[in-house]
Amino acid sequence: MPIRALVWGENIHERTNRTVAQVYPDTMHETIAAALREDPEISASTVVMQDPEHGLTEAKLAETDVLLWWGHQDHGGVADAVVERVAARVHEGMGLIVLHSGHFSKIFKRLMGTPCALKWREAGERERLWVTAPHHPIAKGLPQCFELEMEEMYGEHFSVPEPLETVFISWFQGGEVFRSGLTYKRGAGNVFYFRPGHETYPSYHDANVRQVLRNAVRWAHNPQGAYKAIHEAPNVPVEKALEPLVERGPKLHAPGEAGYR
C-alpha cells in the first residue's frame, strides 16, 4: 500500500500574484504533489485553505499518513479547531512536513511551543544547502551540498526548540546561515521542517528539493498506524494496580472519575 501524502496549500499567492502564477502555473501545492508522485510508493493528493474545514476534515486526516504544509499570507485565517485536529493526528502518529514560511503557521507553533521567529530578506540570493547528516534517510541520494540560484534569505536565530537532528544548514549570498532541515518527534508523530520554497522562485522545480520532499515523506511515515491511546488519561482504580495496594489518605476524585484537563 503506498504512503498516503496530503499536500495542504494556502492557495492565495497563485491566484493573486502574477509572478507566482507564472512560476507555478499548476499551483504550488500541485507542483509539490507532482514531485511526490515521482515515487511510485507515494500517493499524493492536495487540499487548500479555501476548502470546507480547510480540506482537513476528520475523515481526510484519518486517511493521511503524512501531511505537508505550505502557508504564508494568512496563517491567522486557519481555524483553531482545525489546528487542534491536525495536532491530535500528529500526536497519534501522522507525519508532518512544514515547508518554508510555514514556520509561522499555527500548527508548527502549536507543536514547537515557541515563537518560531527568524531573520529574513527577499533579494533573490543564491542559497547553498549543506548536508550535515549525510547518512540520514532525508539526505538519501543527495550530494554533500546543492545550490538554489535564487531564494529568500532566512537567518539565525531561528527560535525553535533544539531539534533531534539537523539535516541541512544553508549559507546565503549575503553571508547569513540557517538551520534549514530540522527533525522533531511529537507524540508518535515525526515532524520535519524544510526551509526552501519562497513562492516567487522556482525552488519546488529543483531536482534536489524534490528529492528531499520524497525522502522526507518516507522518513515521516509511521507504518504502525494511529496510536489513539496517546490522548487517554485513565484514572486507574486501586484494585487494578499491578501490585497489591492499600488506599490511604483523602482524594479529589471518585473511583473511575475523569480527571481535570
Side-chain angles (χ1 to χ4, degrees), residues 61 82-94 107 110-111 186 188-189 226-228 230-231:
L61 288 172
V82 172
V83 173
E84 291 304 312
R85 186 183 300 161
V86 173
R89 280 290 291 122
V90 172
H91 291 145
E92 293 169 5
M94 181 183 73
I107 183 58
R110 164 72 170 77
L111 293 171
R186 290 296 181 265
Y227 177 44
K228 298 286 187 180
I230 197 166
H231 306 295

Side-chain angles (χ1 to χ4, degrees), residues 2 42 47 59 102-103 112 149 156 158 195 210 223 232 243:
I42 299 175
V47 293
H103 69 91
M112 295 299 104
E149 185 57 34
E156 296 287 347
F158 188 18
R195 196 219 70 82
R210 293 165 79 90
E232 299 174 2
E243 300 289 343

Side-chain angles (χ1 to χ4, degrees), residues 38-206:
E38 293 170 1
D39 186 332
E41 296 187 13
I42 299 175
S43 171
S45 58
T46 65
V47 293
V48 294
M49 185 175 183
Q50 296 77 27
D51 290 333
E53 300 181 62
H54 307 315
L56 301 173
T57 64
E58 289 188 8
K60 190 65 176 178
L61 288 172
E63 61 185 26
T64 298
D65 297 317
V66 180
L67 175 65
L68 295 89
W69 190 284
W70 193 100
H72 185 196
Q73 183 171 319
D74 195 17
H75 298 308
V78 178
D80 291 343
V82 172
V83 173
E84 291 304 312
R85 186 183 300 161
V86 173
R89 280 290 291 122
V90 172
H91 291 145
E92 293 169 5
M94 181 183 73
L96 177 66
I97 300 170
V98 177
L99 302 171
H100 190 61
S101 46
H103 69 91
F104 268 155
S105 65
K106 285 184 177 181
I107 183 58
F108 192 59
K109 291 196 291 185
R110 164 72 170 77
L111 293 171
M112 295 299 104
T114 58
C116 301
L118 46 81
K119 297 181 179 70
W120 63 280
R121 179 172 57 242
E122 192 178 14
E125 299 175 51
R126 185 170 68 255
E127 176 181 5
R128 181 177 298 135
L129 291 100
W130 286 93
V131 178
T132 55
H135 298 297
H136 197 283
I138 295 176
K140 183 178 180 181
L142 297 175
Q144 68 173 355
C145 68
F146 62 93
E147 292 188 359
L148 300 174
E149 185 57 34
M150 298 181 71
E151 252 296 353
E152 180 182 22
M153 183 277 289
Y154 279 7
E156 296 287 347
H157 177 245
F158 188 18
S159 57
V160 291
E162 189 67 20
L164 291 176
E165 303 137 314
T166 300
V167 185
F168 304 107
I169 290 179
S170 288
W171 168 90
F172 292 89
Q173 199 169 351
E176 289 86 359
V177 297
F178 190 76
R179 292 167 292 162
S180 285
L182 306 177
T183 71
Y184 296 92
K185 190 82 169 181
R186 290 296 181 265
N190 296 315
V191 179
F192 178 57
Y193 172 77
F194 186 46
R195 196 219 70 82
H198 188 60
E199 55 269 31
T200 61
Y201 307 127
S203 297
Y204 293 126
H205 296 297
D206 180 84

Side-chain angles (χ1 to χ4, degrees), residues 17-54:
N17 185 285
R18 180 177 299 178
T19 299
V20 179
Q22 290 173 339
V23 175
Y24 294 103
D26 296 326
T27 71
M28 296 185 71
H29 47 280
E30 287 294 343
T31 302
I32 293 167
L36 303 180
R37 295 183 192 120
E38 293 170 1
D39 186 332
E41 296 187 13
I42 299 175
S43 171
S45 58
T46 65
V47 293
V48 294
M49 185 175 183
Q50 296 77 27
D51 290 333
E53 300 181 62
H54 307 315

